[in-house]
Amino acid sequence: MSEVVSKTTLAKGTTGILAGLTTEQKNDALLTMAEALRSESVSIIAANREDLERGRQNGTPESLLDRLALDEARIQVIAEGLQQIAALPDPVGDTLETLKRPNGLSIEKIRVPLGVIGIIYEARPNVTVDAAGLCLKTGNAVVLRGGSSALSSNRRIVEVLHAALAGTAMPPHALQLIEDPNRSSVDEMLKLNGLLDVIIPRGGSSLIQNVVMNATVPVIETGAGICHTYLDASAQPRMAQEISLNAKAQRPSVCNAMETLLVHRDYAREQLLPLAEAFRDVHVELRGCAETVALVPWALPATLEDYATEYNDYILNIKVVSGTEEAMQHIAQYGTQHSECIVTEDSGNAARFLQEMDAAVVYHNASTRFTDGFEFGFGAEIGISTQKLHARGPMGLPALTSTKYKIYGTGQIRG
Amino acid sequence: MSEVVSKTTLAKGTTGILAGLTTEQKNDALLTMAEALRSESVSIIAANREDLERGRQNGTPESLLDRLALDEARIQVIAEGLQQIAALPDPVGDTLETLKRPNGLSIEKIRVPLGVIGIIYEARPNVTVDAAGLCLKTGNAVVLRGGSSALSSNRRIVEVLHAALAGTAMPPHALQLIEDPNRSSVDEMLKLNGLLDVIIPRGGSSLIQNVVMNATVPVIETGAGICHTYLDASAQPRMAQEISLNAKAQRPSVCNAMETLLVHRDYAREQLLPLAEAFRDVHVELRGCAETVALVPWALPATLEDYATEYNDYILNIKVVSGTEEAMQHIAQYGTQHSECIVTEDSGNAARFLQEMDAAVVYHNASTRFTDGFEFGFGAEIGISTQKLHARGPMGLPALTSTKYKIYGTGQIRG
């Protein structure tokens, strides 16, 4: 039996116990995990150093090594994350609906755990703890398959968490780490129908596409964001500039950052040049349509491929459009249904954009950077769903649950 | 461009209009469709006759031909179904949640259509109308791929519906029928990410398994039901018999019918023989474990494969167990997480079974045959989901919707 099958089978064996744990028992496990991470920080940092050294030998760029690196402060933040998850309300067991039928049947719709969740992700070892915490809080077993570059860190973290769980009501086998660094272990997880109830990929678009295109297990697609901001003719210039700069440059590496700015022709005439200067001041490279290049001499010509690219970097496409209609058409063609914004003082255009634009989150006069579970007040986020089934947009704890119907009868049969 | 791509592209082109239709406009379209089916019943029955004749030439069994056959009465029922769908509340546009954030952002979670739904199904032409009605009511475009044995009927029905829609606010292209009878047209639909938002298979287990194992488009898995009834030691004999007979024999061909009866050893001693006689009276073949065969001489020995079989027929497995624990273990091993029932007067055993049994619907003292959208009071049913994502159990209109977040700001940016 492969590592993937044997560990997932162990995880599945715990789902009955997990579904029956009280909120207090689950929170106690999370707090014990947090405590263990703190008291074992030295050994975790030592394991992390192995990953960093191997990364340096393999020529990993410093920016990626920085995301991989753990120190005392980062471990404190990770442990605090578990405490925050413990403090959140537990959705499991909630009664969502009660139906009383004319034949006397009483039907209750109850929130239950999904079962066994597979998480496939990349380098950052904080995801190991965060995903484990969110899944266990919702009574799910979890099978983690992290990137090989963080294997030593992840292995040590899971050892520490297993030892911590051994003293709690939470069965340690509910948390599994796949250590096989070969791609075949991912492929195997994707086809594990019957053992895995859902797979959630967290990472770059190639990782996500591989999961979506090859999984037979149900998937919650997360992540890819080609987000747009449309500045309408009546946009307030100061607000338009603040929102645009924030959406692009406050943190360009994330999925809710803007990749393309659409500008109404009437607005562009006076306002595009000062806006472009503001982008130049924060070192954002501009690529534009012909009209943009005519107004902003240092802008490079944008290609159709540019419009379809998630840069995650200090690069921005700019396109001049004739109005809301053309802006929405461009977004429909190039967007990923993630987060789209209109900046306007025209309430009719705003209402139309919010109604018709098909995306997880649509904004009037606010930065797309708010598409985030914490900013929504969920207190946690397992990812941002860009699919339409099950969950859409930022996913908090309820996205990690399913439901079941309990029916209470007194001998009813169907006529 | 293939038929599948060209027709699905046409369907997708209507989603913006569909999402903006009022409930009245959608209901008007459904009622116009119902009227058209009634007034065109002669031509529909003539087309159906072609299917029936082709079926007879191909040696199709009479039972299948009966499911395929249309007459005036059946067309009346189909048209009434559309009227019933029109009378249901429209979930689209409902505000599910309103969040007011400390920074002044106002976040609304709104129900929206899924987009384009693919339905892959088998012979019965009533599914053509029913699926079209449910999808259009919820503002979704729909691409239907029915079985080739009903192609003439389906083609004529869709012609009639298209002509009816031409006089309404609903764009006719929102309804598409794939006529290519080759399996390759199904395969093509399964991979149509970006054009199809979800695929719902309706039919037998091989059809469903093909969809689940080969689709890259998100799927809502429906159908397969190996359902169990467990008679506990304290079960009331009369209730136990009524529920068991109803679950097995009232309509054995459907997914919520019982396939295996589990009986507590103490209950079996006195009660299994009279119960088996009652099953014999309604011509149910019995296959049992060794203890069953010892108590019921005419029962055949059951194999492990029998326990894993959805008979959909007048055949029942019987297994004697030591109690709730062994019953739940058997169900966990052989069940399909569809519908499971305990008959008992012991409230502790009932509570434990309903809490721990992992299935879409769990029953105390009622027939599993109630797992049905109409019996739940949904007024409609697109199918019974046996997966845990998005929807679980009988699916009414809300299962055909997604959500989006509308965010209203006054210039908020992220700090």
Side-chain angles (χ1 to χ4, degrees):
Chain A
M1 200 186 287
S2 72
E3 183 199 11
V4 167
V5 171
S6 64
K7 288 187 171 175
T8 309
T9 303
L10 284 174
K12 190 173 169 65
T14 67
T15 54
I17 298 169
L18 259 70
L21 292 180
T22 65
T23 301
E24 291 65 33
Q25 288 172 317
K26 291 185 283 189
N27 291 344
D28 172 61
L30 293 172
L31 296 175
T32 307
M33 286 161 64
E35 201 41 61
L37 290 176
R38 288 200 171 95
S39 61
E40 287 293 341
S41 61
V42 171
S43 70
I44 293 170
I45 291 168
N48 182 250
R49 207 168 295 132
E50 294 173 26
D51 287 330
L52 292 172
E53 276 163 21
R54 206 173 53 245
R56 271 193 203 96
Q57 282 164 17
N58 295 342
T60 307
E62 276 304 316
S63 63
L64 286 184
L65 291 178
D66 177 61
R67 295 172 73 171
L68 175 56
L70 292 175
D71 57 21
E72 281 290 342
R74 287 190 175 180
I75 289 174
Q76 285 296 330
V77 169
I78 290 170
E80 274 161 29
L82 286 176
Q83 291 171 300
Q84 285 164 12
I85 294 169
L88 289 174
D90 180 2
V92 172
D94 284 356
T95 302
L96 300 181
E97 231 175 319
T98 305
L99 307 164
K100 191 82 186 172
R101 302 297 303 151
N103 60 8
L105 283 182
S106 172
I107 304 179
E108 289 180 0
K109 186 177 187 179
I110 310 280
R111 264 202 203 284
V112 297
L114 282 166
V116 186
I117 299 177
I119 311 267
I120 297 174
Y121 58 106
E122 287 170 338
R124 289 191 289 179
N126 62 315
V127 174
T128 305
V129 179
D130 187 47
L134 293 166
C135 291
L136 297 177
K137 170 81 183 196
T138 43
N140 294 290
V142 58
V143 178
L144 300 167
R145 172 46 169 88
S148 55
S149 58
L151 184 56
S152 297
S153 312
N154 288 339
R155 195 187 278 144
R156 181 62 198 145
I157 287 170
V158 170
E159 275 173 9
V160 168
L161 298 180
H162 275 165
L165 291 177
T168 74
M170 176 82 68
H173 283 324
L175 168 61
Q176 297 291 340
L177 176 73
I178 304 301
E179 300 185 12
D180 178 353
N182 294 304
R183 154 108 181 230
S184 61
S185 63
V186 170
D187 296 340
E188 208 181 343
M189 284 177 73
L190 300 182
K191 311 278 186 195
L192 223 54
N193 300 61
L195 283 177
L196 279 176
D197 291 288
V198 57
I199 289 176
I200 304 176
R202 286 180 66 166
S205 66
S206 72
L207 181 150
I208 292 168
Q209 279 309 302
N210 176 44
V211 170
V212 168
M213 298 312 287
N214 294 300
T216 53
V217 173
V219 170
I220 302 179
E221 185 173 351
T222 66
I226 299 180
C227 303
H228 300 76
T229 302
Y230 165 56
L231 308 182
D232 199 15
S234 66
Q236 278 190 18
R238 189 176 156 172
M239 186 193 289
Q241 177 165 326
E242 285 180 355
I243 288 176
S244 304
L245 283 175
N246 188 260
K248 176 73 252 180
Q250 192 244 357
R251 197 172 168 203
S253 62
V254 292
C255 62
N256 57 21
M258 167 173 66
E259 306 297 356
T260 297
L261 181 71
L262 301 163
V263 187
H264 192 290
R265 188 160 290 124
D266 297 346
Y267 185 87
R269 206 172 301 124
E270 298 289 322
Q271 300 295 340
L272 188 54
L273 187 59
L275 182 56
E277 285 166 348
F279 275 114
R280 187 172 56 183
D281 291 348
V282 293
H283 311 293
V284 172
E285 175 187 321
L286 300 180
R287 303 184 186 179
C289 65
E291 284 181 70
T292 299
V293 173
L295 289 162
V296 181
W298 65 91
L300 304 171
T303 65
L304 295 185
E305 205 189 322
D306 287 335
Y307 292 130
T309 300
E310 185 180 9
Y311 295 120
N312 285 336
D313 202 349
Y314 287 87
I315 308 172
L316 176 69
N317 304 313
I318 301 180
K319 187 180 178 187
V320 174
V321 296
S322 58
T324 309
E325 180 67 32
E326 191 185 344
M328 293 200 301
Q329 278 171 7
H330 178 95
I331 296 171
Q333 186 170 357
Y334 293 102
T336 53
Q337 306 190 331
H338 190 297
S339 300
E340 311 296 352
C341 169
I342 183 172
V343 182
T344 186
E345 295 302 302
D346 180 322
S347 59
N349 285 351
R352 192 174 159 217
F353 185 93
L354 265 59
Q355 167 68 24
E356 294 184 23
M357 210 63 260
D358 186 15
V361 190
V362 284
Y363 291 86
H364 177 210
N365 289 350
S367 166
T368 56
R369 289 278 295 110
F370 287 108
T371 301
D372 176 283
F374 294 93
E375 294 294 334
F376 275 46
F378 295 167
E381 180 186 282
I382 190 76
I384 295 169
S385 166
T386 51
Q387 70 182 29
K388 292 184 178 177
L389 282 191
H390 186 67
R392 196 176 191 202
M395 294 187 285
L397 293 179
L400 296 180
T401 66
S402 181
T403 57
K404 80 176 180 192
Y405 289 103
K406 292 185 179 180
I407 301 191
Y408 300 90
T410 51
Q412 282 84 350
I413 60 172
R414 195 157 160 192
Chain B
M1 203 186 286
S2 73
E3 184 198 10
V4 167
V5 171
S6 64
K7 288 187 170 174
T8 309
T9 303
L10 283 174
K12 191 173 170 65
T14 68
T15 54
I17 297 168
L18 259 71
L21 293 180
T22 64
T23 302
E24 291 65 34
Q25 289 173 317
K26 291 185 284 188
N27 291 344
D28 172 62
L30 293 172
L31 296 175
T32 307
M33 286 161 62
E35 202 41 62
L37 290 176
R38 287 199 172 96
S39 60
E40 288 293 340
S41 61
V42 173
S43 70
I44 293 169
I45 291 168
N48 183 250
R49 208 168 294 131
E50 293 172 26
D51 286 330
L52 292 172
E53 277 163 22
R54 206 173 52 245
R56 270 192 203 95
Q57 282 164 17
N58 296 342
T60 307
E62 276 303 316
S63 63
L64 285 184
L65 290 177
D66 178 61
R67 295 173 73 171
L68 175 58
L70 292 176
D71 57 20
E72 282 289 343
R74 286 190 175 180
I75 289 175
Q76 286 295 329
V77 170
I78 290 171
E80 275 161 29
L82 286 176
Q83 291 171 299
Q84 285 163 11
I85 294 170
L88 290 173
D90 180 2
V92 172
D94 284 356
T95 302
L96 300 181
E97 229 176 319
T98 305
L99 307 164
K100 191 83 186 172
R101 302 298 303 151
N103 60 9
L105 284 182
S106 171
I107 303 179
E108 289 181 2
K109 186 177 187 178
I110 311 281
R111 264 201 204 284
V112 297
L114 281 167
V116 186
I117 299 178
I119 311 269
I120 296 174
Y121 58 108
E122 286 170 339
R124 290 192 288 179
N126 62 316
V127 175
T128 306
V129 180
D130 187 48
L134 293 166
C135 291
L136 297 178
K137 169 80 182 198
T138 42
N140 293 292
V142 59
V143 178
L144 300 167
R145 172 48 169 87
S148 56
S149 58
L151 184 56
S152 298
S153 313
N154 288 339
R155 195 186 277 144
R156 181 63 197 144
I157 288 170
V158 170
E159 275 173 9
V160 168
L161 298 180
H162 275 165
L165 290 177
T168 73
M170 176 83 68
H173 284 323
L175 168 61
Q176 297 291 339
L177 177 72
I178 303 302
E179 300 186 13
D180 179 354
N182 294 304
R183 153 107 182 232
S184 61
S185 63
V186 171
D187 296 340
E188 208 181 342
M189 285 176 74
L190 299 182
K191 311 278 186 195
L192 222 54
N193 300 60
L195 283 177
L196 279 176
D197 291 287
V198 58
I199 289 176
I200 304 176
R202 284 179 68 166
S205 66
S206 72
L207 181 149
I208 292 167
Q209 278 310 301
N210 176 45
V211 170
V212 168
M213 298 312 286
N214 294 300
T216 53
V217 172
V219 170
I220 301 179
E221 186 173 351
T222 66
I226 299 179
C227 303
H228 299 76
T229 302
Y230 166 56
L231 307 182
D232 199 16
S234 66
Q236 279 190 18
R238 189 176 157 171
M239 186 194 289
Q241 178 166 323
E242 285 179 355
I243 288 175
S244 303
L245 283 174
N246 187 261
K248 176 72 254 180
Q250 192 245 357
R251 196 171 170 205
S253 63
V254 290
C255 62
N256 56 22
M258 167 173 66
E259 306 297 356
T260 297
L261 181 71
L262 301 163
V263 187
H264 193 290
R265 188 159 290 123
D266 296 346
Y267 185 87
R269 206 172 301 123
E270 297 289 324
Q271 300 295 341
L272 187 54
L273 186 60
L275 182 56
E277 285 165 348
F279 275 114
R280 187 172 55 182
D281 291 347
V282 294
H283 311 292
V284 172
E285 175 187 322
L286 301 180
R287 304 185 185 180
C289 65
E291 284 181 70
T292 300
V293 173
L295 289 163
V296 181
W298 64 91
L300 303 170
T303 65
L304 295 185
E305 204 188 323
D306 288 336
Y307 292 131
T309 300
E310 185 179 8
Y311 295 121
N312 286 335
D313 203 348
Y314 287 87
I315 308 171
L316 176 69
N317 304 313
I318 301 180
K319 187 181 179 188
V320 175
V321 295
S322 58
T324 309
E325 180 68 30
E326 191 184 344
M328 294 201 299
Q329 278 170 8
H330 178 95
I331 296 171
Q333 187 170 358
Y334 293 102
T336 54
Q337 306 190 331
H338 191 297
S339 300
E340 312 296 352
C341 168
I342 182 171
V343 182
T344 186
E345 296 301 301
D346 180 322
S347 59
N349 285 351
R352 192 175 159 215
F353 185 92
L354 265 58
Q355 166 68 24
E356 293 184 21
M357 210 61 260
D358 186 16
V361 190
V362 285
Y363 292 85
H364 177 210
N365 289 351
S367 166
T368 55
R369 289 277 294 110
F370 288 107
T371 301
D372 177 283
F374 295 92
E375 294 293 334
F376 275 45
F378 295 167
E381 180 186 284
I382 190 76
I384 295 169
S385 166
T386 51
Q387 69 182 31
K388 292 185 179 175
L389 281 191
H390 186 68
R392 196 178 192 201
M395 293 187 286
L397 293 179
L400 295 179
T401 67
S402 181
T403 57
K404 80 177 179 191
Y405 289 103
K406 292 185 179 181
I407 301 191
Y408 300 90
T410 51
Q412 281 84 351
I413 59 172
R414 196 156 160 194

